[in-house]
Amino acid sequence: MDLFLIDAIGPFFRGYGKRRINWSKIPFTHLRTGDDRTLQWEEIARDLERFATEVVRLGYNAVTLDDLAHLAPHPLHEPEIRERITVFRQEFAKLFDLLKNEYGLKIFLTSDVIPSTPALDAAFGGNAVAWEDYYRDLVRGILDDFPQLDGLILRIGESDGNDVRDPIRTRLHLRGAAETNRFLKNLLPEFEARDRTLILRTWTVGAHKIGDLIWHRRTLAETFQGIDSPHFIVSMKHGESDFFRYLPLNRAFFHLPQRKLLELQARREYEGAGEYPSYIGRDCGRFARELATAENMAGISVWCQTGGWHRFRRLPFLENTGDDTWIRLNATAAIDIFRHGRSVEESVGNPTVMEFLTLADTVIHELLYIEDFARQKLFFRRVRIPPLLHAYWDSLFINHAVRKVLRHFVKDPERALRSAEGAFSLFPRMIGLAREAGLPVEDVEHMRDLFGILLLARRYYLLPYDEELSAELRAAKKAYKQRWPKGSRERYRIKTSFDPVRITGRTLGLATSLLLRRKRGYRLIDHIFTLNLLGFAFRVFKPRDKRKMPKFLRKSAMGVDALFK
């Protein structure tokens, strides 16, 4: 391994006032481009200096920044967009020089395929060839205009979320393995001619036929067939879904012959996003041991800021942006294990902290997750079902629908309840160790209060319905909001509803057997119904009034529609 990437987008979020933030990329609408921009860009530069100093000291040798769409002009761009891009190019050039010349860092720019504007939509319409020629022109221009760049990181399976209000928006373009293969072969010579690197991420949200790229062996093989270049790298998350626990290492690391990057997340978007300890050191150690036999591993790509739609606002490696202890521990573990060859214990360096993190890891595995469900391999259409259903980003869902689903899949509820009770009993020891080691005790107390609700929720999910337990959950939610009022810290949203869902266990069983499968390969019913007719039915019968769909489904990420494309 020789490439150790970490995302450097944190400085661009300072002062961003939106209540719930899309952390998937830099909020470019927040960046000033007028005559009043100087102070903001100077602050960004100072933050980036501090960030670079810290990550270089740890051992990272490359950073990622967003994004091609806001730095690559095109003659068809609207005048106001061209003006903003001109300013962004001026300001980012200074930042690139800073990172490259002062800190010796390699710089990779991200890009969704494909960015568009209303003027471009009108000019190209549905002409796929015109869109790809346009994109190749953008790539050629960005590589020529910014010699500081070492390459680009392409995301083809996800585009801008529904909440993005930027006039430059990205949308999904590539729909199948064959066209993706052709697209890459047409684009790669631009990188080879300039001695740059093209990194393609396999992550998708499951849309279109390319939506199973993250796990389907045939899709992977067809997508990368005939691509053999030292200027090309495949970047993959560790598992067949997002950054969750309980997922085995993706076997594609051992099947693909191309150079590969392992993606890791230090700021765990589904596990508190740095608000409480969620240590990845043990996982990193396991991945490193398994990958010792994988060929052509290029390195790791660590996300310390990127990921999720939530209200948690901690910015690691910067001043006055919240305590970054838990994120920093994860970023340190990743580089220590994969670059320096250290053990988890050597990375932590303190027996008291090590004991604390071990206990916290147990609490995450046994109380945040329900192991009985998390270990099940379930697929819906082209995506693997996440092993965590009841807690997502900054929300905890306690309702009858979740209860129905979990009661259906959890086969040993007594064991699930015992493990949760045992995990929660570790908090007094954890708080004592945190005080002894000088760790952020308030974070652990917040974790205790939140996970106390998770314990009650598990009883609600798995035990026979009890009105007293519902009342206890309502009281716990109220106490949690009083203990952690708005303004004191960012807290979880506890979404409770005890209204019954009118679906029988038999109906649920039939639906899950029809819609879900336990093997990667598609069944005949999938080819006939799940992958084709179901998508058509969803488009026909989905509510025309978007407000009738749950806000969580229609406003976060790309929305539920992406699953049915």
Side-chain angles (χ1 to χ4, degrees):
M1 292 187 179
D2 57 10
L3 184 58
F4 301 95
L5 277 158
I6 190 166
D7 63 318
I9 68 173
F12 299 88
F13 284 88
R14 187 184 286 276
Y16 189 39
K18 195 169 182 179
R19 181 64 178 154
R20 200 162 187 249
I21 296 176
N22 174 356
W23 293 99
S24 64
K25 65 173 59 173
I26 290 172
F28 281 91
T29 55
H30 166 62
L31 304 181
R32 297 178 182 176
T33 55
D35 294 337
D36 62 343
R37 71 178 186 268
T38 302
L39 290 178
Q40 184 185 36
W41 287 97
E42 287 179 347
E43 185 173 47
I44 290 172
R46 287 193 299 271
D47 279 344
L48 208 53
E49 283 189 88
R50 178 174 295 278
F51 179 89
T53 299
E54 294 276 4
V55 299
V56 167
R57 180 182 59 80
L58 288 176
Y60 290 94
N61 61 9
V63 295
T64 64
L65 287 169
D66 307 325
D67 70 349
L68 174 141
H70 292 85
L71 297 179
H74 190 274
L76 292 178
H77 276 150
E78 295 85 338
E80 62 275 15
I81 291 177
R82 284 202 302 271
E83 291 175 7
R84 285 181 63 80
I85 288 177
T86 297
V87 174
F88 288 146
R89 286 165 64 88
Q90 294 170 357
E91 299 296 345
F92 270 83
K94 300 174 189 175
L95 301 178
F96 293 160
D97 286 339
L98 172 69
L99 294 169
K100 177 72 70 173
N101 299 333
E102 299 297 323
Y103 296 95
L105 285 162
K106 296 179 180 180
I107 306 169
F108 288 83
L109 199 64
T110 66
S111 174
D112 286 349
V113 180
I114 272 177
S116 67
T117 70
L120 292 168
D121 289 337
F124 299 146
N127 188 333
V129 174
W131 279 109
E132 291 181 22
D133 288 343
Y134 144 77
Y135 187 74
R136 186 168 178 171
D137 287 341
L138 295 187
V139 169
R140 187 184 295 118
I142 208 81
L143 295 179
D144 287 341
D145 294 345
F146 294 101
Q148 308 98 316
L149 295 178
D150 291 86
L152 299 180
I153 301 176
L154 272 56
R155 183 175 71 165
I156 66 169
E158 185 177 8
S159 60
D160 281 334
N162 291 338
D163 62 322
V164 174
R165 296 294 178 261
D166 195 312
I168 302 175
R169 287 183 57 86
T170 62
R171 65 184 187 191
L172 298 180
H173 174 73
L174 299 170
R175 300 193 174 199
E179 65 178 299
T180 304
N181 180 266
R182 185 196 69 246
F183 174 83
L184 292 171
K185 287 179 176 177
N186 288 337
L187 200 59
L188 187 54
E190 303 293 348
F191 292 82
E192 293 172 326
R194 295 164 176 81
D195 194 25
R196 311 291 182 84
T197 300
L198 168 58
I199 300 175
L200 181 85
R201 298 188 59 220
T202 63
W203 166 252
T204 81
V205 294
H208 306 302
K209 290 183 177 180
I210 197 68
D212 58 12
L213 180 64
I214 193 172
W215 58 266
H216 198 286
R217 190 178 297 189
R218 185 184 303 117
T219 305
L220 284 161
E222 292 177 0
T223 298
F224 302 123
Q225 183 179 10
I227 299 177
D228 181 15
S229 172
H231 297 275
F232 181 72
I233 296 175
V234 180
S235 181
M236 297 183 284
K237 295 186 179 182
H238 75 270
E240 295 176 339
S241 182
D242 214 336
F243 292 114
F244 294 103
R245 312 285 178 146
Y246 287 103
L247 295 174
L249 191 64
N250 194 329
R251 304 314 296 172
F253 283 105
F254 304 94
H255 300 148
L256 290 178
Q258 289 82 8
R259 298 175 69 208
K260 296 170 284 287
L261 276 177
L262 170 66
E263 297 178 12
L264 300 165
Q265 192 173 50
R267 187 176 186 249
R268 306 285 294 173
E269 63 183 279
Y270 302 106
E271 300 168 7
E275 294 292 317
Y276 56 74
S278 180
Y279 189 55
I280 65 170
R282 296 293 185 195
D283 287 341
C284 288
R286 175 168 58 87
F287 298 152
R289 290 190 297 272
E290 292 186 42
L291 289 172
T293 60
E295 296 181 352
N296 285 332
M297 287 301 301
I300 60 173
S301 177
V302 176
W303 298 13
C304 69
Q305 194 69 66
T306 305
W309 274 255
H310 53 75
R311 61 189 62 203
F312 304 131
R313 315 179 77 87
R314 299 189 184 189
L315 307 179
F317 304 112
L318 304 181
E319 284 188 331
N320 303 317
T321 57
D323 194 305
D324 67 350
T325 297
W326 317 120
I327 308 169
R328 184 183 290 262
L329 279 166
N330 285 339
T332 301
I335 196 68
D336 278 352
I337 290 168
F338 283 98
R339 183 169 193 181
H340 305 308
R342 294 173 184 150
S343 67
V344 175
E345 290 77 13
E346 288 170 336
S347 177
V348 173
N350 182 309
T352 303
V353 176
M354 190 70 253
E355 182 185 352
F356 170 86
L357 293 174
T358 300
L359 296 179
D361 195 48
T362 300
V363 171
I364 294 292
H365 277 84
E366 298 188 11
L367 186 45
L368 178 60
Y369 291 83
I370 301 175
E371 182 179 0
D372 195 343
F373 175 78
R375 289 196 181 278
Q376 297 185 44
K377 184 168 64 176
L378 298 168
F379 289 85
F380 171 66
R381 286 173 60 87
R382 300 181 183 91
V383 300
R384 180 163 178 167
I385 301 297
L388 184 64
L389 287 185
H390 53 286
Y392 215 77
W393 288 324
D394 60 0
S395 299
L396 174 59
F397 299 97
I398 307 174
N399 58 56
H400 204 69
V402 174
R403 182 175 184 269
K404 281 275 189 181
V405 171
L406 290 176
R407 285 174 67 86
H408 174 76
F409 283 106
V410 175
K411 303 306 180 186
D412 191 347
E414 290 186 7
R415 180 177 180 274
L417 289 165
R418 286 197 305 270
S419 67
E421 298 278 0
F424 188 73
S425 71
L426 300 177
F427 273 107
R429 177 62 177 163
M430 285 173 58
I431 292 172
L433 289 169
R435 287 200 176 95
E436 182 181 342
L439 296 170
V441 174
E442 186 180 277
D443 286 356
V444 188
E445 292 174 338
H446 171 246
M447 184 185 188
R448 175 201 59 201
D449 294 347
L450 174 68
F451 279 54
I453 296 176
L454 278 167
L455 177 59
L456 291 174
R458 186 168 303 192
R459 294 171 185 162
Y460 167 75
Y461 297 143
L462 301 180
L463 291 174
Y465 182 76
D466 182 352
E467 183 60 43
E468 290 186 7
L469 183 55
S470 299
E472 194 174 352
L473 273 164
R474 293 188 186 95
K477 175 182 176 179
K478 183 178 180 180
Y480 173 75
K481 294 171 72 172
Q482 290 175 340
R483 174 66 178 84
W484 308 104
K486 291 181 179 179
S488 67
R489 70 177 297 132
E490 299 300 336
R491 69 186 185 208
Y492 269 72
R493 300 187 300 174
I494 314 297
K495 302 286 190 177
T496 56
S497 173
F498 304 106
D499 296 333
V501 174
R502 300 190 181 280
I503 181 172
T504 66
R506 178 181 174 82
T507 302
L508 180 62
L510 289 171
T512 55
S513 64
L514 173 66
L515 298 176
L516 305 183
R517 64 188 187 279
R518 293 184 179 273
K519 295 182 179 180
R520 295 177 183 85
Y522 297 115
R523 307 162 298 176
L524 178 61
I525 189 66
D526 294 313
H527 289 292
I528 296 172
F529 176 70
T530 317
L531 293 172
N532 294 294
L533 293 178
L534 182 62
F536 174 77
F538 175 81
R539 290 188 291 275
V540 170
F541 295 108
K542 75 175 183 178
R544 293 292 175 263
D545 184 355
K546 294 182 178 180
R547 292 172 297 180
K548 291 183 179 180
M549 294 187 70
K551 185 177 180 181
F552 174 79
L553 291 178
R554 58 185 165 87
K555 287 204 168 184
S556 295
M558 293 177 62
V560 71
D561 296 44
L563 274 176
F564 295 93
K565 291 184 177 179

